[in-house]
Amino acid sequence: MPTPSARGSRPPRRILSLWLARLSVDRWRRALAPDAPEARAPTALILDTAHGPRITAANDEGLRAGARTGVLLADARALCPDLVAVPADPAGDLAALEKLSVWAQRWGPWSAMDPPDGLLVDVTGAAHLFGGEERLLADVARAFARAGLAVRPALAPTAGAAWALSHYGPQRAILAPGDDPLRLLGDLPVAALRLDDDVLTALRRLGIKRLGELAGVSGTGDDPAAEAAARDALRRRFRNHRSPAANPLLRLDQLLGRVPEPLLPVVDRPMPMVQRRLMEPLRHRDLLDRVMADLSLDMVRTLEARGEGARRLELALWRVDGEVLVRRIELAAATREAGHITRLFAARLDDVEAGFGIEMVQLRASWSEPLGLAQTDLDTAAESHGTALAACIDRLSVRLGAQAITRPVPRASHIPERAQGWQPPLDPVPPAQGQLAFHARPLKLLDRAEPIAVLYASPDGVPQRFRWRGAVREVVRVEGPERIAPEWWRERSTARLRDYYRIEDEAGRRYWIYRQGILGDGRGGVPDWFLHGLYA
């Protein structure tokens, strides 16, 4: 049976909401031994507040003893004097949720965190890989059960509807794309809209307790005039609330799919790591220092390729007897100096006991930051050779002229030809916006984009053949588009946007072209095509 993508039509959007209602308790329970007496005692996780310790979560025994979330510990102990109080770990819960969000990408291409105890996974077009949506939810429940975590999954076309079903709907609820959301969600409480507590209190005072009641106010009944007046009154009631969690009408529109809800995906960035598996175990310090120097050079090359510098480095030494020795250092600033890394670890290896020998050494950067390239060799060589960077520039300026010596600097602009400028080499670098990881730029950017004649293209598609500098080139591969809008604060309102494409011809040459404008944008006639750069 062909999938929706195979038929050429775009499949309806499906969002999987995962509610880990007992994340804190499950993490605490997993940290204990299986037969520990603490696991069977009434226990509550607490946080210090202005009015004293307050309960954030409790195990089953604690809940039966009267420990409820949000209750002061003193009040809970009045009901259960044997209640055990354990400090909560919100930072650990958030870190665990981040790892789970990456792990949950086995069910969809991307996932997003829903703190403090939820996940959202985009499973659009992926349910058939598991045998259907029901089997997908069953697989989710089995996977989390094996991990020792309790989960309530739900599927819906929007993130708001999926969240409402996972938190307040039946177990493993599914809202089909063609179903009426209010038919299944109308009886849910207004708390299913992810609203703040003060907004929920205001709605209860207005007599609105269910989603169906709020939907009747927002314009889904038989009297359009009365509903418009009621919606306008409710909008005025919350007109100063800008946050989505403080605006019930906005949350309702997001749940019904009338207003898009942006989600921030979690991207798994692999940690820079280098290692050496040794043919013979090491038992002497001089050999270990030599391996450490090689690992530092490998780490520097890895960080240079990523454009980053290390802030925290962890060195792991695997001994023959199975024990792993770990040494960790933190740096005041990001660095890519191999010698500096080697010297810092040299002081941490004095107490290493090799035992029967070390058979593997691993170095990883658990914390790294962007670090731009810097030319420091000339300044360093000035101490021994007397050739500083300033002296070199002075000599070149005298020989070639002051206007002939410049250097490129980034500019605060997303337009490619404006994103870089030239200035005297010793002038301070102006502030610039950060580089976005998905902005892939060609190795050579033309000073001025050259027009090309597109011989065949659909109105809004990519070129199949184009003529540039008198030669016709057949396009075999296309990647894009990357849309770049005009800078409205610099250009006129008639400026047209650009759609950039990375293309490759039959000879393997790669180009960076763009279409200026789209058909029917009201800012000109037929869009023009230009070639702006060349790849290696």
Side-chain angles (χ1 to χ4, degrees):
M1 181 177 180
T3 61
S5 58
R7 293 194 299 267
S9 60
R10 186 175 181 179
R13 192 184 187 195
R14 306 296 286 162
I15 300 295
L16 171 65
S17 176
L18 306 174
W19 181 32
L20 303 166
R22 297 166 51 87
L23 178 61
S24 302
V25 176
D26 290 341
R27 285 188 62 245
W28 167 79
R29 191 185 297 275
R30 291 171 62 185
L32 299 175
D35 55 349
E38 295 88 343
R40 296 186 298 271
T43 307
L45 304 181
I46 61 171
L47 277 180
D48 290 332
T49 63
H51 301 284
R54 194 176 293 273
I55 296 175
T56 61
N59 61 356
D60 295 335
E61 292 76 9
L63 292 174
R64 285 193 291 267
R68 296 288 185 265
T69 302
V71 176
L72 290 174
L73 178 61
D75 298 337
R77 277 186 170 162
L79 299 175
C80 179
D82 297 332
L83 184 65
V84 179
V86 178
D89 184 16
D93 293 341
L94 189 62
L97 190 65
E98 185 176 5
K99 294 179 181 178
L100 286 174
S101 64
V102 177
W103 177 71
Q105 291 176 5
R106 62 182 63 195
W107 295 294
W110 64 263
S111 60
M113 296 173 57
D114 183 25
D117 53 8
L119 299 173
L120 296 171
V121 185
D122 188 349
V123 295
T124 303
H128 68 281
L129 301 175
F130 301 88
E133 295 183 346
E134 293 82 2
R135 293 188 178 183
L136 171 63
L137 295 186
D139 184 72
V140 170
R142 285 193 302 266
F144 275 91
R146 287 193 299 265
L149 299 171
V151 65
R152 284 178 57 92
L155 264 175
T158 63
W163 191 95
L165 287 175
S166 63
H167 286 69
Y168 295 94
Q171 278 282 359
R172 302 184 189 180
I174 298 177
L175 180 62
D179 291 345
D180 182 11
L182 293 178
R183 181 185 61 83
L184 187 60
L185 307 178
D187 292 335
L188 299 184
V190 290
L193 290 177
R194 299 168 291 168
L195 298 171
D196 295 334
D197 292 338
D198 57 340
V199 179
L200 294 176
T201 302
L203 291 176
R204 283 195 295 268
R205 292 174 179 174
L206 294 174
I208 300 175
K209 300 179 181 180
R210 302 289 176 182
L211 288 182
E213 299 171 356
L214 182 63
V217 174
S218 62
T220 58
D222 299 330
D223 191 352
E227 291 167 355
R231 183 179 177 91
D232 186 60
L234 196 60
R235 183 186 294 110
R236 290 197 307 270
R237 180 71 169 78
F238 297 98
R239 64 179 180 274
N240 294 326
H241 295 199
R242 304 299 181 186
S243 172
N247 193 323
L249 294 179
L250 177 58
R251 280 300 197 197
L252 182 62
D253 290 340
Q254 289 178 346
L255 183 144
L256 298 177
R258 300 170 183 170
V259 176
E261 181 179 356
L263 300 174
L264 183 62
V266 176
V267 180
D268 182 23
R269 299 182 69 254
M271 186 182 303
M273 185 187 69
V274 294
Q275 67 181 16
R276 285 286 191 276
R277 294 181 180 271
L278 306 174
M279 296 182 62
E280 296 183 0
L282 297 180
R283 297 185 62 185
H284 302 286
R285 174 62 187 272
D286 56 344
L287 297 178
L288 181 58
D289 290 338
R290 189 181 305 175
V291 173
M292 185 65 230
D294 294 341
L295 285 177
S296 299
L297 291 174
D298 293 345
M299 176 59 70
V300 167
R301 297 189 191 99
T302 304
L303 292 173
E304 283 180 350
R306 297 165 58 108
E308 297 177 347
R311 287 292 305 274
R312 184 190 299 118
L313 291 164
E314 298 176 357
L315 180 68
L317 309 171
W318 270 262
R319 298 199 324 190
V320 176
D321 58 4
E323 185 177 354
V324 181
L325 306 177
V326 179
R327 298 294 183 269
R328 182 183 294 107
I329 61 172
E330 288 198 8
L331 306 161
T335 183
R336 284 200 300 260
E337 290 188 42
H340 183 53
I341 296 173
T342 304
R343 288 190 297 270
L344 291 176
F345 272 111
R348 303 297 304 275
L349 298 178
D350 294 335
D351 59 342
V352 170
E353 294 290 341
F356 292 104
I358 298 173
E359 59 181 358
M360 189 175 74
V361 185
Q362 182 186 93
L363 179 64
R364 64 177 185 173
S366 57
W367 178 13
S368 59
E369 294 179 349
L371 180 63
L373 297 176
Q375 187 172 355
T376 58
D377 293 341
L378 290 177
D379 291 329
T380 305
E383 300 178 1
S384 55
H385 303 289
T387 308
L389 178 60
C392 178
I393 293 174
D394 292 339
R395 293 179 184 179
L396 293 175
S397 299
V398 171
R399 180 175 298 181
L400 304 176
Q403 302 299 326
I405 311 300
T406 57
R407 67 166 174 172
V409 293
R411 302 289 186 185
S413 175
H414 61 271
I415 303 298
E417 62 268 20
R418 297 176 186 167
Q420 179 177 292
W422 297 86
Q423 71 176 31
L426 295 182
D427 286 359
V429 178
Q433 63 186 11
Q435 296 288 336
L436 297 177
F438 56 85
H439 280 183
R441 295 294 178 255
L443 182 64
K444 178 178 176 58
L445 192 69
L446 302 181
D447 292 336
R448 181 176 298 176
E450 299 183 9
I452 58 176
V454 178
L455 302 182
Y456 172 77
S458 59
D460 294 328
V462 298
Q464 304 297 318
R465 185 185 303 117
F466 70 96
R467 180 185 297 274
W468 177 56
R469 294 184 178 179
V472 177
R473 293 167 171 81
E474 296 286 341
V475 178
V476 295
R477 292 184 179 87
V478 181
E479 184 180 356
E482 176 190 346
R483 177 159 293 182
I484 298 180
E487 295 180 336
W488 55 267
W489 59 93
R490 289 182 178 176
E491 302 177 1
R492 297 181 178 179
S493 59
T494 56
R496 311 185 78 174
L497 55 82
R498 304 178 184 177
D499 282 338
Y500 278 86
Y501 296 88
R502 292 182 289 274
I503 64 173
E504 182 179 331
D505 63 6
E506 72 281 358
R509 295 181 291 262
R510 302 185 67 201
Y511 309 90
W512 201 41
I513 68 173
Y514 70 88
R515 178 182 62 232
Q516 188 170 17
I518 56 177
L519 194 64
D521 58 1
R523 299 184 178 183
V526 178
D528 298 321
W529 289 85
F530 295 87
L531 190 145
H532 205 172
L534 305 173
Y535 289 92

